[in-house]
Amino acid sequence: CWKPNRPSNSLQPRASKSTLMALIETLAPQMLAYSRQFHTDGEVDWQPYVIFFHPKNYASSVVNTDASGFRFSEREGARFSIVSGRSLPCARLLAGNSVAFGIGASSDKTTIASRMMAHDQRSEPWLNFGGRAFNSAQELILITLYRHLLQKTEEIGRMLTGLIKSL
């Protein structure tokens, strides 16, 4: 829980959790969808090797996941994920941590993978391979476990300290 920095002898009471949640709801309402379901005390899917992953088949106006827990990317109303991978002749992967997953994005179409498709004329979609709170070893394991579901991978981009680096 966030606690403001103030002297330990302060007589001011700390904000209650409900007050903080009300503030979050006012300033960034999309964050409630993430805080309710995508924390380790929410509905995460505990898995071998990657430890935990996102809830499967989660649906909301802010974040949606497929049958494996991957977040959808969108382009012109079409949704893409690893589940649609077998039907795609070729795809590109965006691997990374919470930033790649899109924590804080107001919808699936505002994630980095979706925005990359909006500004890329190539036909192959970017699939969101981001994992909340993942480190680089977990990212690699995730790609290793699911890449076989794709017919062909054209490119793998990785979020690296806020920058995209092609592998």
Side-chain angles (χ1 to χ4, degrees):
C1 181
W2 174 80
K3 295 174 184 163
N5 291 331
R6 62 176 174 256
S8 60
N9 62 354
S10 173
L11 299 176
Q12 295 177 347
R14 293 185 179 199
S16 68
K17 186 172 183 176
S18 61
T19 302
L20 288 175
M21 293 307 285
L23 183 61
I24 290 170
E25 186 172 6
T26 302
L27 298 176
Q30 75 273 16
M31 293 306 291
L32 292 177
Y34 299 107
S35 67
R36 289 185 185 132
Q37 302 296 334
F38 289 83
H39 278 221
T40 54
D41 58 350
E43 294 181 21
V44 296
D45 183 29
W46 296 96
Q47 295 184 1
Y49 309 111
V50 294
I51 311 302
F52 66 89
F53 202 50
H54 318 116
K56 297 175 180 176
N57 297 313
Y58 181 76
S60 77
S61 62
V62 175
V63 58
N64 298 278
T65 61
D66 67 13
S68 297
F70 287 93
R71 187 169 190 169
F72 287 99
S73 54
E74 289 186 27
R75 178 175 51 203
E76 299 173 357
R79 293 175 17 156
F80 303 95
S81 76
I82 190 67
V83 170
S84 59
R86 288 202 187 269
S87 65
L88 297 170
C90 190
R92 294 172 284 158
L93 308 180
L94 179 64
N97 57 16
S98 302
V99 175
F101 175 75
I103 292 296
S106 58
S107 69
D108 295 334
K109 67 182 176 184
T110 59
T111 62
I112 293 173
S114 296
R115 298 305 304 148
M116 287 171 67
M117 282 193 291
H119 296 284
D120 191 336
Q121 299 304 314
R122 295 177 289 179
S123 62
E124 302 88 9
W126 280 99
L127 302 182
N128 192 327
F129 259 61
R132 182 170 168 83
F134 270 27
N135 61 40
S136 56
Q138 290 168 302
E139 295 165 16
L140 181 60
I141 291 168
L142 193 67
I143 291 170
T144 303
L145 292 174
Y146 288 94
R147 191 171 180 185
H148 72 281
L149 296 176
L150 302 171
Q151 288 189 35
K152 181 181 175 193
T153 304
E154 181 67 26
E155 181 177 2
I156 299 175
R158 181 173 176 272
M159 296 298 299
L160 180 63
T161 320
L163 302 173
I164 299 173
K165 178 179 180 177
S166 286
L167 299 176

